Amino acid sequence: MAKMFIAGESVDSVTGQTTEVRNPANGEVVDTVPKGIAQDAQRAIDAAAAAFDQWSHTSAEERANMLFKSAELVESERKPLSELLTREQGKPLQESATELEHFLHGLHFVAGLASKVRGAQVPLPAKNAYGMVIRKPLGVCGAIVPWNFPLTLMGTKVGPALAAGNTVVVKPASTTPLSSIRIIELMNQAGFPKGVLNVVTGPGGVVGEELLKNPKVRRIAFTGESGTGKHVAEVACSDFKRVTLELGGSDPMIVCDDADIPKAITGAMVGRYWNAGQACLAVKRLYVFDKVFDAFVKGLADKVARYQPGDGLTKAEKPNIRMGPLHTAAQREEIEAQVQDAIDRGAHVVIGGARPEGKEYERGFFYQPTILVDVPDDARAVQEETFGPLLPIFRVSNLDEAIERANNSIYGLGSSIWTKNIDNIDAAIDRLQAGNVWVNSLHYGYDELPFGGVKASGFGREHGPEALDYYMEPKGVVITH
Ligand code: NAD
């Protein structure tokens, strides 16, 4: 059985209760984890609070070295960790390996920043006086992580928090705790003082809620649904915690008639069907100019037909590409309901639109990659976040129409434009209501750039040197001599 990691030790819940983690491809139990309660979270928070003074006064270089070392230790178990991630999450092995690679890249990036934090010296109007801005870590940080990219989304919180001198309690999603626990055990072997980096497993409404409410926690980094995010903001902000929210998305992709169509097709395919479409940052509404619409839809459908649902631990026969199951039964039911709603409103299925048939699919939550056209703007697939392999494609007559419809969403995470025309590019960068705009590029969160949303996609930024700003408080100092 996997265990929580608190104050330098692997521990059970105080109740001794456990939860099973099941493989979404076949329903088999992968392992069990402690079913933590508030008291377990309190133990971890207390340990993190006790470790803060020492860790925040450790030299920046030493913190950086420990982060580099921890990345090395994680790297040493690259293969078993990727396999474990596939078994608990469902994604194909190659995608798990890519996720782990992204986690390591992010950790290296932020470890490099740890010793490069700068403050400021400021001239003041007062006589014989000057000001300084120094930057102080915040204290205990709660990192609340979803199940779709459990490793990268843990890394984007843990890395900058530790680099800046904070201590951390991680709360992984209940269905994907295993690879996260192993990573935290490995990272701790780098020599972090006891209590600096902890992980507590258990239900979000219990363990997560304790992190939101406990006054010793001074910072919450949350990634998850917008509805949960709203609750997180209400509870954590009422205790004056610093909060960042990385929430849902419904990214528009705009394809103009002068775009490189084969490249745009690949961008749409990977951008939508990676992780079986269970990504915050994904092409969820595709707006294609009238002149290239038919060719684009046909070209994309031909490529998407190569996806073959199946167990992520097995490979599809070339030229097919493996697509894993959806993560839970509820996730699949929601996609099915969104597809049915669109069809009821007049949409047409270009490809997919159902579960795959066959004995090999009976035990997993598989769904076919799906493309819809003629979807009206009031359909659920347009208004809501679609968290699965479902892509509605819309015909538009010009860029103004595309941008207006792209912005007609409560979300504002990613967006992209595919064109060679600099005026179109300018307009899209300026007018798309989103935290990120990609130009002729795949929707991908680079560690080097700030990443986050606007509107119901949340606030605050992860990634980039900017991420560190959310883990430090500037302190104004006046010196008179
Ligand atoms: P979720 O909101 O259900 O859960 C996220 C995490 O919050 C889990 O660890 C859960 O246990 C915890 N939680 C639940 N209730 C809580 C509470 N009351 N207090 C504290 N914690 C609580 O989201 P999910 O279904 O795991 O993830 C999918 C969602 O995440 C999608 O909407 C997706 O778009 C979003 N997401 C956003 C980003 C981003 O960077 N913007 C990245 C990935 C996923």
Side-chain angles (χ1 to χ4, degrees), residues 160-184:
L162 295 179
N166 301 281
T167 56
V168 185
V169 178
V170 176
K171 209 302 275 171
S174 302
T175 49
T176 53
L178 300 171
S179 45
S180 306
I181 290 175
R182 184 61 194 143
I183 283 185
I184 288 185

Side-chain angles (χ1 to χ4, degrees), residues 104-125:
L104 289 167
H105 182 267
L107 204 53
H108 279 123
F109 179 79
V110 84
L113 292 178
S115 56
K116 294 164 192 71
V117 172
R118 291 277 186 275
Q121 197 223 22
V122 183
L124 296 177

Side-chain angles (χ1 to χ4, degrees), residues 144-148 153 171-173 204-205 208-209 212 222-225 228 231 246-249 280 385 387 413 451:
I144 304 178
V145 185
W147 50 261
N148 61 336
L153 295 169
K171 209 302 275 171
E209 196 75 17
L212 305 184
F222 173 83
T223 302
E225 279 186 286
T228 322
H231 172 75
E246 298 284 351
L247 308 178
C280 55
E385 177 176 43
F387 219 60
L413 191 58
F451 172 78

Side-chain angles (χ1 to χ4, degrees), residues 382-465:
V382 185
Q383 296 297 321
E384 300 173 2
E385 177 176 43
T386 52
F387 219 60
L390 160 61
L391 180 60
I393 311 184
F394 310 93
R395 193 187 287 270
V396 289
S397 36
N398 57 48
L399 189 61
D400 282 340
E401 183 194 347
I403 292 179
E404 194 186 322
R405 291 174 72 181
N407 286 341
N408 185 17
S409 168
I410 61 165
Y411 296 106
L413 191 58
S415 59
S416 67
I417 180 154
W418 298 72
T419 178
K420 298 186 186 102
N421 180 314
I422 189 70
D423 292 334
N424 289 349
I425 293 172
D426 254 7
I429 294 173
D430 184 44
R431 287 165 53 199
L432 282 170
Q433 295 168 359
N436 311 264
V437 184
W438 286 268
V439 178
N440 300 320
S441 313
L442 178 69
H443 295 214
Y444 177 79
Y446 287 96
D447 292 305
E448 292 74 6
L449 283 171
F451 172 78
V454 299
K455 303 199 280 188
S457 294
F459 51 73
R461 293 294 179 262
E462 293 192 334
H463 301 226

